[in-house]
Amino acid sequence: LAEFLPAKGRGKMLLAIQYFWTLGCLFVVLIGYATLHGTGGEDSSGGHWRTFVAVCTIPCVVSIVIGYLYVPESARWLSAE
C-alpha cells in the first residue's frame, strides 16, 4: 500500500494505518464480549459464536469492496503481466 501513497505524507499515512490495526484489535475484543457473553439472557443453543463471526465479517467485506474499487494495480503486478 505504501507505493500508492505520495512520498510527502507517506509516513503519517502508514502510521495511521497501524493505529487502525490497533483500534481494530481492541474493537474485536468488545464485539466478542458483547456477542459471546450475550448482552441479554443466556442462550442454551450456543449460537452466539455465529453472531460474532457474522459481525466480524462485515469490515472484511467492506474492505475488500473498497480495495477492489479504489486501489489500483501494483506496478510490480503490471510489469509481471
Side-chain angles (χ1 to χ4, degrees):
L1 189 62
E3 63 190 32
F4 302 117
L5 298 173
K8 185 175 182 180
R10 186 175 298 155
K12 290 180 183 179
M13 291 298 291
L14 291 175
L15 184 63
I17 291 170
Q18 290 299 322
Y19 281 134
F20 281 119
W21 274 99
T22 304
L23 289 174
C25 291
L26 294 173
F27 193 60
V28 167
V29 173
L30 295 174
I31 292 172
Y33 183 78
T35 57
L36 295 176
H37 291 289
T39 55
E42 286 295 321
D43 183 13
S44 60
S45 67
H48 288 300
W49 69 269
R50 290 183 181 99
T51 305
F52 174 71
V53 171
V55 170
C56 287
T57 57
I58 294 170
C60 296
V61 171
V62 170
S63 303
I64 289 171
V65 170
I66 290 173
Y68 181 75
L69 294 175
Y70 295 108
V71 177
E73 289 86 6
S74 167
R76 184 179 300 154
W77 181 82
L78 288 172
S79 67
E81 295 295 314

